[in-house]
Amino acid sequence: MNMIRRFMGCIREYKKPTILTLLCMVGEVAIEVLIPFFTANLVNEIKGGAELGGVVRVGLGLILMSLVSLGCGALGGLFGSRASAGFAKNVRHDVFTRVQSFAFENIDKFSSASLVTRMTTDINNVQMSFMMCIRIAVRAPLMFLFAVIMAYIMGGALATTFLIIIPVLVIGLLLIARKAMPAFRAVFRKYDKLNESVEENVRAMRVVKGFAREEYEKKKFAAASHNIAKDFTFAERVVALNAPLMQFCVYFNMIFVLFVGSKLIVTNGGTTIDVGQLSAMLTYGMQILMSLMMISMIYVMMTMSYESFVRIREVLEEEPALTNPASPATDVKDGSIDFENVSFKYSAQAKKFALQDINLHIDSGMTVGILGGTGSSKSTLVQLIPRLYDTTEGCVKVGGRDVREYDLEALRGAVSVVLQKNVLFSGTIKDNLRWGNENATDDEMIEACKLAQADEFVRSFPDGYDTYIEQGGSNVSGGQKQRLCIARALLKKPKILILDDSTSAVDTRTDALIREGFRTYIPETTKIIIAQRVASVQDADLILVMDNGHIADMGTHEQLLASSEIYREVYESQTNGGEQDEA
């Protein structure tokens, strides 16, 4: 019931077409059930020698009833499609809105491939189920009920044939559905794996081609696809038994009614049942069995969709790991940063801390460099500053206030992050730059690009700043992408700027020019630079050396050369043939 209430709330502005669909279905069924009744009376009147005028009047009435039934069916289809499409639109909107509120912790829980499946395949299944609920799920039970009542009115004891055939059909359909449903449920979980394979392959296309692994990826995809097809084939093969079972019941009922009814007409001379009633009984028998067939289809579809409903509900009911406090602060005073006894792990179940016992003070306006090997938790450290994750122990302060006391939008508006994986969105270069400041003027965008050393290559494009960026920035190089992302961050004019290894794809001269631009353009902004090259951080006010989730050493370039063995080894390995040769 909770799930039903949850999804009923997604109907919202489409209540009117939903109700109209239900009313149209009731009207269509009522008229369809009455047509055999009037047809039977017409047959009996013709047999009794009725006048042509009376036959014509009844015939015209039947035509009118048929047209009204047809109209109800057409309008039901129109309103139903509008209601179901609108319902799916609202579900999709609610799911997407919910995902936007998720923290990284929530995204990690579901995986991006699974969320894509829920937003597409699962919502399509839910849409189909909603359509069936407001049309067939209303039509079939009403048709069954009305047809049984009319069959007893018209045929009397002859209608007891349905007491034999209905249980046979119902039990058969339930057995078929019970056999097929586990396979349908399994398929949707396998869709996640298939989408994950596709997403991974598309994103890593250059790597796949670079290692000539196309055939391997094809085989991997074919295996996942074959696995889904195998489950679907089994389920569809079982469900296909519906048709022969239905035909058996229909023909058995038809033969039984014809045999017994004809015998009664011959032996009783039409006093118990006449030709008209016999024809109506055949029609009602067909309606009853067809309604049961439709109910079985609903049962199959709803059981298939139940897994989709559950998966969507999981997203809608997932509580964001990060929320605003009751009375959030909206003003970030300055760019000072404090880590006080901070320890962090990515999940409560994790045995090992990614960061442990971090104590650090950074004055506003300082330039801080961070060095460390792969897996030393450099990125994890800076992700705590804009509260992309919450600390497990201790607290992080920005502007002298715990980040958990800020409004999330206000905090992240004061912190610009250029992540290790740079992302550009489909649209023009201007569109991408305005992610940093939607009201930025052309002059401001040009200035930011000059500081990020991007203006020159942007102007080299035929369309300049109106050049269209393909999805993921696939039509620009890695270095160009990094510089555009830096320019985008500069347009925010943040109080804290974090560069997470975001100049790795540019040469050392360009890297130096970008850092020089920071000093002149945003002198009061706190700048945190994660880098692999000592040259990128050696002129910083403070350099942190990370090792295995700890701050192993900190100090200026000269201090670390004298006191830190790790820093000295990295510096010497790069200056004795690494950085100098590259320059």
Side-chain angles (χ1 to χ4, degrees):
M1 290 304 298
N2 289 335
M3 187 160 67
I4 291 173
R5 282 194 291 269
R6 160 70 71 179
F7 285 96
M8 286 290 284
C10 295
I11 298 175
R12 296 200 285 274
E13 70 271 25
Y14 295 96
K15 287 180 181 177
K16 183 177 178 180
T18 300
I19 293 170
L20 288 174
T21 302
L22 299 175
L23 293 175
C24 287
M25 291 299 100
V26 172
E28 182 185 23
V29 170
I31 295 172
E32 281 190 16
V33 171
L34 287 174
I35 286 176
F37 177 79
F38 288 104
T39 303
N41 290 334
L42 178 61
V43 170
N44 289 336
E45 287 182 17
I46 293 172
K47 181 184 174 185
E51 294 182 358
L52 182 61
V55 173
V56 170
R57 281 194 300 273
V58 176
L60 290 174
L62 289 172
I63 292 173
L64 180 61
M65 291 174 69
S66 299
L67 291 174
V68 172
S69 177
L70 179 64
C72 287
L75 288 173
L78 175 65
F79 292 131
S81 60
R82 187 178 300 169
S84 62
F87 169 77
K89 181 199 75 173
N90 287 342
V91 174
R92 196 173 288 112
H93 171 270
D94 291 355
V95 172
F96 185 78
T97 302
R98 196 65 169 177
V99 170
Q100 291 299 305
S101 72
F102 284 172
F104 286 176
E105 181 180 335
N106 302 106
I107 300 294
D108 294 342
K109 175 181 176 180
F110 288 104
S111 86
S112 58
S114 178
L115 288 172
V116 169
T117 305
R118 295 167 202 242
M119 288 280 290
T120 51
T121 304
D122 288 327
I123 289 181
N124 287 339
N125 289 334
V126 166
Q127 179 178 348
M128 288 297 298
S129 294
F130 184 75
M131 171 70 87
M132 294 187 77
C133 283
I134 61 176
R135 294 190 64 195
I136 301 177
V138 173
R139 174 187 170 86
L142 285 178
M143 177 69 77
F144 176 79
L145 179 63
F146 291 170
V148 168
I149 292 171
M150 293 303 296
Y152 272 96
I153 291 173
M154 297 296 291
L158 187 59
T160 55
T161 180
F162 300 121
L163 297 178
I164 301 171
I165 204 65
I166 289 174
V168 173
L169 183 60
V170 169
I171 292 171
L173 293 175
L174 287 175
L175 290 174
I176 290 170
R178 185 178 179 182
K179 189 74 174 175
M181 289 316 104
F184 280 125
R185 291 194 186 102
V187 162
F188 297 112
R189 288 187 287 272
K190 291 179 180 179
Y191 267 125
D192 290 348
K193 295 292 183 183
L194 186 70
N195 282 347
E196 187 176 341
S197 175
V198 173
E199 181 182 356
E200 187 179 63
N201 190 269
V202 171
R203 288 189 176 186
M205 186 60 71
R206 288 180 174 83
V207 178
V208 173
K209 291 188 178 298
F211 284 86
R213 298 285 282 176
E214 292 93 340
E215 288 304 317
Y216 170 79
E217 290 296 328
K218 287 178 186 177
K219 289 178 181 177
K220 188 171 76 171
F221 178 83
S225 184
H226 176 74
N227 207 4
I228 291 175
K230 182 180 176 182
D231 282 353
F232 257 128
T233 301
F234 172 78
E236 295 286 357
R237 190 187 305 132
V238 175
V239 171
L241 296 174
N242 278 354
L245 177 63
M246 181 68 186
Q247 287 178 340
F248 169 78
C249 292
V250 168
Y251 291 131
F252 176 86
N253 179 73
M254 186 182 299
I255 293 169
F256 185 87
V257 171
L258 278 173
F259 177 77
V260 177
S262 300
K263 188 176 180 180
L264 287 173
I265 292 172
V266 172
T267 56
N268 297 330
T271 56
T272 304
I273 187 171
D274 210 341
V275 177
Q277 282 86 346
L278 181 62
S279 65
M281 283 294 296
L282 291 172
T283 304
Y284 287 132
M286 183 67 73
Q287 288 179 345
I288 289 169
L289 295 173
M290 287 302 295
S291 64
L292 287 173
M293 186 67 176
M294 286 190 287
I295 291 172
S296 75
M297 289 171 55
I298 296 166
Y299 178 74
V300 170
M301 186 64 195
M302 292 304 295
T303 309
M304 284 175 57
S305 301
Y306 179 76
E307 188 70 19
S308 294
F309 277 103
V310 170
R311 285 158 56 83
I312 293 170
R313 186 186 66 174
E314 286 174 352
V315 177
L316 292 175
E317 294 184 351
E318 174 75 8
E319 290 298 328
L322 305 178
T323 56
N324 281 329
S327 300
T330 56
D331 180 47
V332 181
K333 184 176 69 174
D334 56 40
S336 63
I337 303 168
D338 291 280
F339 285 77
E340 297 180 356
N341 302 315
V342 170
S343 294
F344 171 76
K345 55 184 178 181
Y346 282 97
S347 71
Q349 293 74 33
K351 295 180 179 179
K352 184 180 178 182
F353 281 92
L355 290 170
Q356 197 160 12
D357 300 326
I358 304 295
N359 286 282
L360 174 66
H361 174 73
I362 300 172
D363 289 325
S364 183
M366 285 181 67
T367 299
V368 178
I370 303 178
L371 287 174
T374 303
S376 59
S377 297
K378 305 184 296 297
S379 298
T380 304
L381 180 75
V382 297
Q383 286 176 358
L384 299 178
I385 297 170
R387 205 184 167 202
L388 298 180
Y389 291 96
D390 266 342
T391 61
T392 305
E393 297 175 5
C395 72
V396 177
K397 294 182 178 179
V398 170
R401 188 188 290 268
D402 192 324
V403 293
R404 289 169 290 200
E405 297 176 9
Y406 284 111
D407 175 79
L408 278 171
E409 187 174 345
L411 173 65
R412 291 171 184 172
V415 181
S416 276
V417 183
V418 185
L419 293 171
Q420 193 170 7
K421 295 181 179 179
N422 298 286
V423 176
L424 294 175
F425 297 89
S426 54
T428 64
I429 290 177
K430 284 184 179 179
D431 293 335
N432 275 275
L433 292 174
R434 286 197 170 105
W435 273 68
N437 178 2
E438 61 182 354
N439 299 314
T441 65
D442 288 354
D443 290 340
E444 288 173 328
M445 285 189 283
I446 292 170
E447 182 183 15
C449 284
K450 285 181 177 178
L451 291 164
Q453 306 303 307
D455 181 67
E456 183 178 349
F457 79 77
V458 170
R459 291 184 183 277
S460 69
F461 296 142
D463 295 324
Y465 283 84
D466 292 314
T467 298
Y468 189 84
I469 299 294
E470 301 293 342
Q471 184 179 14
S474 59
N475 58 332
V476 292
S477 69
Q480 291 171 338
K481 191 188 299 185
Q482 286 186 337
R483 282 175 276 175
L484 287 173
C485 288
I486 292 170
R488 181 173 64 189
L490 289 172
L491 278 171
K492 283 181 71 175
K493 297 182 179 176
K495 293 183 178 178
I496 299 172
L497 175 64
I498 300 171
L499 302 180
D500 187 355
D501 202 18
S502 50
T503 57
S504 58
V506 301
D507 58 80
T508 52
R509 178 177 175 278
T510 302
D511 186 11
L513 290 172
I514 291 172
R515 285 183 280 112
E516 178 60 33
F518 291 164
R519 282 190 287 271
T520 58
Y521 184 63
I522 47 173
E524 297 179 0
T525 295
T526 303
K527 298 163 281 290
I528 300 177
I529 303 170
I530 296 176
Q532 299 295 332
R533 296 183 297 211
V534 172
S536 298
V537 298
Q538 67 181 23
D539 57 351
D541 301 311
L542 178 68
I543 301 171
L544 309 179
V545 180
M546 299 288 297
D547 183 40
N548 198 28
H550 295 80
I551 298 177
D553 296 291
M554 68 173 73
T556 62
H557 174 66
E558 290 75 14
Q559 290 171 340
L560 290 173
L561 280 178
S563 62
S564 174
E565 183 179 346
I566 298 174
Y567 186 82
R568 189 166 52 252
E569 285 180 1
V570 174
Y571 176 75
E572 289 175 355
S573 68
Q574 292 181 0
T575 55
N576 290 339
E579 291 292 311
Q580 288 180 346
D581 288 349
E582 183 181 335

